[in-house]
Amino acid sequence: MIRIKEGDLFNAPSGLICHQVNCKGNMGRGVARTFREKYPEAFKYYVYLCHNNCANALLGNCLFKDNTVCMFAQDDWRGHNICNTSYEAFRLCCKQIVAYIQQNDPFTTINMPYGIGAGLGGGDWLIIYSILEEEFEGHDLILWKLK
């Protein structure tokens, strides 16, 4: 079930905090920058993965670190008004999150920013939302909308 709540993703009371990342080792803006500041150890591991793997090896995979998930669903950022999000990679990341929670705790809440992949990622929110509906059916997904 998808719920939309107003508030800060990073103040979610429990569960996984998931966000979309590029494969270049950059977390310079938006949700990613806040993630970098709040979770420096996860950020270091993310940079390590980006510098030691090609984008094709990372796209569609997730980095799970403590209660955080970096979803590699964007190769690079090519500018505004351009779709930087790979829908196929985004879907694969969602599948990995589901597999992870089924293996570890099937009742884990999944937290994501409202508009994930559609802001700086430039993706079509209707397409992304439909992927979320399909892949997280039967799971608790909260989309956090910052005030």
Side-chain angles (χ1 to χ4, degrees), residues 11-137:
N11 291 329
S14 65
L16 297 174
I17 295 177
C18 308
H19 72 109
Q20 179 172 303
V21 296
N22 62 48
C23 298
K24 301 299 181 194
N26 300 324
M27 286 191 186
R29 298 191 316 226
V31 173
R33 183 172 70 195
T34 303
F35 179 90
R36 178 187 74 203
E37 294 165 357
K38 291 199 176 272
Y39 303 101
E41 290 303 313
F43 173 69
K44 287 178 193 173
Y45 192 48
Y46 157 76
V47 170
Y48 171 82
L49 288 175
C50 290
H51 290 154
N52 291 287
N53 293 280
C54 67
N56 287 340
L58 295 172
L59 275 173
N61 288 296
C62 292
L63 162 60
F64 295 90
K65 179 79 170 132
D66 301 321
N67 71 323
T68 65
V69 182
C70 296
M71 302 168 66
F72 288 98
Q74 180 178 323
D75 178 9
D76 199 358
W77 190 77
R78 300 181 306 268
H80 293 287
N81 301 321
I82 296 173
C83 183
N84 299 291
T85 296
S86 163
Y87 301 126
E88 179 182 345
F90 187 84
R91 182 180 297 278
L92 289 171
C93 289
C94 292
K95 289 180 183 296
Q96 279 193 5
I97 293 167
V98 168
Y100 177 86
I101 63 172
Q102 287 176 336
Q103 182 178 16
N104 293 285
D105 181 1
F107 302 106
T108 297
T109 300
I110 304 152
N111 300 282
M112 293 182 178
Y114 180 87
I116 185 170
L120 292 172
D124 183 322
W125 179 237
L126 295 177
I127 294 172
I128 293 169
Y129 193 86
S130 69
I131 292 170
L132 294 172
E133 285 181 314
E134 292 167 15
E135 298 303 329
F136 293 111
E137 184 177 357

Side-chain angles (χ1 to χ4, degrees), residues 3-9 142-147:
R3 295 181 285 152
I4 299 171
K5 289 188 175 183
E6 280 195 7
D8 187 343
L9 165 71
I142 301 174
L143 299 175
W144 291 90
K145 192 182 259 190
L146 202 54
K147 295 178 189 179

